Amino acid sequence: MSKCEHCISRQLNSMKSLTKEELKRVSDCKTTKFYKKGDIIFDEGESLSGVFCVRHGVAKLTKLSANGNDQTVKLLGKGELLGQRSIISDERTNLSAIALNDIELCFVPKDQIIEPLQKNQVFSFDVLQNLAKDLRGAEGDLIDMAQKSVKQRVAQVLIYVEKEFGVDEKGYLNLVLSRDDYANIVGTATESAIRIISQFKKDHLISTQGKQIKIENLQKLKLVE
Amino acid sequence: MSKCEHCISRQLNSMKSLTKEELKRVSDCKTTKFYKKGDIIFDEGESLSGVFCVRHGVAKLTKLSANGNDQTVKLLGKGELLGQRSIISDERTNLSAIALNDIELCFVPKDQIIEPLQKNQVFSFDVLQNLAKDLRGAEGDLIDMAQKSVKQRVAQVLIYVEKEFGVDEKGYLNLVLSRDDYANIVGTATESAIRIISQFKKDHLISTQGKQIKIENLQKLKLVE
DNA sequence: ATTAAAACATGACAAATATCATATTTTAAA
DNA sequence: TTTAAAATATGATATTTGTCATGTTTTAAT
């Protein structure tokens, strides 16, 4: 079985600040889990017994709103942690985690995180900085949601997906999302997302090949109103 | 001069987890600052040299969006900390803090926070839990912004203000905000906020006396669509 | 290869919200 | 107290976004 060091050496998350012994313990007791596209990793209201670390693939954190819509809060790629916050605040998770494509996760039991958190200053400060960064991001998203048009938000997500998850050799976004996924991220109706993406195609800001999307004009996409 | 213990004894924030010596040091070096309604406590892009703790009054954290609108991210009352995140992540603040009424703040220099953060496990874990809570709150606000109508958000803010800052002997909200303030919080146009609040009056969900607002029917206000 | 289901597309219309204009009221300063 | 400025109110209208209906295309299973 592969060791945590492989992930950690890439400096992917705060676990890099664990001591060698702590890391070995994590590595020894972690389990690897596989999920298929669309699978639920955990569901709102569940009590998590540990933290998941994305080894391969992409997951989303979502919440079902009162009117039955799914709102996606965050996309998580390689090296990012799922369930961190629930473990820290010792509460049930208020979000669901769903696989956006076939995904491989490492599961690390709660104790292996909590103990270093209470004993290893470097680690806990690092986690603190991570949470601070997440908080800044969430506030930024809130402001965008309040101040930008749906069209601007769709453009922004396309740009984000290109930057965060990259493109293949032909320039298509590596992360393939449905129009419905996009709608849930920007907080709009599926039809609106479809219409906007169609318009982007007509305006040659993007091109598509089936479900694949390629950004053709990043500059103009950034200037969408 | 008053001591920190007075604030801390009310268990208002993570500073309660400082050791006696740490707390004494904070208490000794802190300074008290006064701001008048509308004053800028700090501005976007500033580099903060410490953390502010609200002793009396209410402040808001806001960001100026590209289209020139102010978006209010959070209201902060007694015992809450301003600038915490910028100090932790050692970045310039991306938000402005503005006094919503006459306000008294304690200013604690950076070092007095950073040092305990790196040495006192109990304190740093407590701050961690606070940030986790803030993050959950920010995600909740994001979802509300995406999924609820402007009317629902206005109703929600009124309820929040009553709960968080209380009412006077006649039942009027202690925190007096302008319609424009409400608009900035819910992310809408001032006229829309005015219209919605007027409608709430007509529907007897609230009543007003000048700028003062009293919630008359909390149940119905919660059920606004 | 065939076919059913899912995803995508698009028109027509409705609803929510923004914008602009113009009064009226309230607040705070002189 | 008077008065100018700010805040609130409201109508008319434009724009954005959502909803419903109905096709078409794509995907994936048989």
Side-chain angles (χ1 to χ4, degrees):
Chain A
M1 195 220 271
S2 57
K3 293 191 182 157
C4 278
E5 282 83 351
H6 296 158
C7 262
I8 297 311
S9 66
R10 297 193 217 109
Q11 296 280 317
L12 289 171
N13 60 45
S14 45
M15 296 222 251
K16 66 178 184 296
S17 304
L18 293 174
T19 64
K20 277 190 182 168
E21 300 88 73
E22 285 164 347
L23 198 52
K24 180 163 192 321
R25 231 172 295 144
V26 166
S27 193
D28 287 348
C29 74
K30 77 170 198 298
T31 55
T32 305
K33 303 195 176 191
F34 294 87
Y35 296 88
K36 289 215 170 292
K37 180 176 176 174
D39 281 355
I40 295 173
I41 299 163
F42 56 77
D43 214 344
E44 281 179 51
E46 270 185 38
S47 186
L48 304 182
S49 58
V51 167
F52 298 84
C53 177
V54 179
R55 174 186 287 265
H56 194 81
V58 181
K60 65 174 176 180
L61 288 175
T62 74
K63 188 172 173 69
L64 194 66
S65 76
N67 38 325
N69 290 340
D70 250 337
Q71 177 63 42
T72 297
V73 170
K74 199 171 191 284
L75 302 181
L76 298 128
K78 189 182 280 185
E80 293 195 272
L81 301 176
L82 292 159
Q84 198 186 13
R85 216 180 63 231
S86 299
I87 296 303
I88 290 170
S89 57
D90 196 32
E91 293 175 314
R92 286 166 187 278
T93 177
N94 59 331
L95 302 172
S96 299
I98 295 173
L100 280 175
N101 44 38
D102 292 356
I103 192 170
E104 185 185 350
L105 301 172
C106 290
F107 176 78
V108 180
K110 199 169 172 170
D111 296 344
Q112 301 304 316
I113 299 293
I114 289 291
E115 209 190 297
L117 214 48
Q118 306 209 344
K119 293 193 176 160
N120 179 341
Q121 289 288 1
V122 181
F123 177 60
S124 86
F125 191 69
D126 215 39
V127 172
L128 200 56
Q129 293 201 315
N130 260 293
L131 273 196
K133 204 179 111 207
D134 283 353
L135 184 54
R136 177 180 289 226
E139 285 171 357
D141 290 344
L142 171 73
I143 293 166
D144 289 343
M145 196 64 85
Q147 302 283 346
K148 295 191 173 172
S149 68
V150 176
K151 205 183 277 185
Q152 285 176 312
R153 270 140 55 200
V154 172
Q156 196 169 284
V157 172
L158 289 168
I159 294 166
Y160 172 82
V161 168
E162 172 171 283
K163 187 167 182 229
E164 202 64 20
F165 305 105
V167 297
D168 66 16
E169 54 308 332
K170 287 180 178 166
Y172 290 100
L173 300 181
N174 281 326
L175 178 62
V176 175
L177 297 173
S178 68
R179 307 292 190 263
D180 191 51
D181 287 327
Y182 281 106
N184 291 159
I185 295 171
V186 303
T188 192
T190 306
E191 295 95 324
S192 295
I194 289 172
R195 256 182 257 272
I196 287 167
I197 289 174
S198 295
Q199 191 58 50
F200 285 171
K201 278 200 283 187
K202 281 176 194 154
D203 298 342
H204 306 294
L205 303 180
I206 63 173
S207 63
T208 64
Q209 176 93 295
K211 296 195 57 158
Q212 305 209 92
I213 295 177
K214 172 157 62 170
I215 293 180
E216 295 286 355
N217 195 330
L218 183 61
Q219 307 320 320
K220 280 196 186 165
L221 203 55
K222 284 182 181 171
L223 296 176
V224 160
E225 300 206 331
Chain B
M1 197 218 270
S2 56
K3 293 192 183 157
C4 280
E5 282 83 352
H6 296 157
C7 263
I8 300 310
S9 65
R10 296 192 217 111
Q11 297 278 316
L12 289 172
N13 60 45
S14 44
M15 297 222 249
K16 67 180 182 296
S17 304
L18 294 174
T19 64
K20 277 190 181 168
E21 300 88 73
E22 285 164 345
L23 198 52
K24 180 165 191 321
R25 231 171 297 144
V26 166
S27 192
D28 287 348
C29 75
K30 77 168 199 300
T31 54
T32 306
K33 303 194 176 193
F34 294 88
Y35 297 88
K36 289 215 170 292
K37 180 176 177 174
D39 282 355
I40 296 173
I41 299 163
F42 55 77
D43 214 344
E44 282 179 52
E46 269 185 39
S47 184
L48 304 182
S49 57
V51 167
F52 297 83
C53 178
V54 179
R55 174 186 286 266
H56 193 81
V58 182
K60 64 174 176 180
L61 288 174
T62 73
K63 187 172 174 67
L64 194 65
S65 77
N67 40 324
N69 290 340
D70 252 337
Q71 177 63 43
T72 297
V73 171
K74 197 171 192 285
L75 302 181
L76 298 129
K78 189 180 280 186
E80 292 195 272
L81 300 177
L82 291 159
Q84 200 185 12
R85 216 180 64 230
S86 299
I87 296 303
I88 290 169
S89 56
D90 196 32
E91 292 175 315
R92 286 167 186 277
T93 177
N94 60 331
L95 302 173
S96 300
I98 296 174
L100 280 174
N101 43 38
D102 293 355
I103 191 171
E104 184 183 351
L105 302 171
C106 290
F107 176 78
V108 181
K110 200 169 172 171
D111 296 344
Q112 301 305 316
I113 301 294
I114 290 290
E115 208 191 296
L117 213 48
Q118 306 211 347
K119 294 194 177 161
N120 179 341
Q121 289 289 2
V122 181
F123 177 60
S124 86
F125 191 69
D126 214 39
V127 171
L128 199 58
Q129 293 202 316
N130 260 292
L131 274 195
K133 203 179 111 207
D134 283 352
L135 184 54
R136 176 179 289 225
E139 284 169 357
D141 290 343
L142 171 73
I143 293 165
D144 288 344
M145 197 64 84
Q147 303 282 349
K148 296 192 174 171
S149 69
V150 176
K151 205 182 275 187
Q152 285 176 312
R153 269 138 58 199
V154 172
Q156 197 168 285
V157 172
L158 289 168
I159 294 166
Y160 172 82
V161 168
E162 174 171 281
K163 187 166 181 231
E164 201 63 20
F165 305 105
V167 296
D168 66 16
E169 55 304 337
K170 287 179 175 166
Y172 289 99
L173 300 181
N174 281 326
L175 178 61
V176 175
L177 297 174
S178 68
R179 307 292 191 264
D180 191 52
D181 287 327
Y182 281 106
N184 291 159
I185 296 170
V186 303
T188 193
T190 307
E191 295 94 323
S192 296
I194 289 172
R195 256 182 256 273
I196 288 167
I197 290 175
S198 294
Q199 191 59 50
F200 285 171
K201 278 200 285 188
K202 282 175 192 153
D203 297 343
H204 305 294
L205 301 179
I206 62 173
S207 63
T208 65
Q209 176 93 297
K211 298 195 56 157
Q212 306 210 91
I213 295 177
K214 171 157 62 170
I215 293 179
E216 296 286 355
N217 195 330
L218 183 61
Q219 310 317 322
K220 279 196 186 167
L221 204 55
K222 285 182 181 171
L223 297 176
V224 161
E225 302 207 331

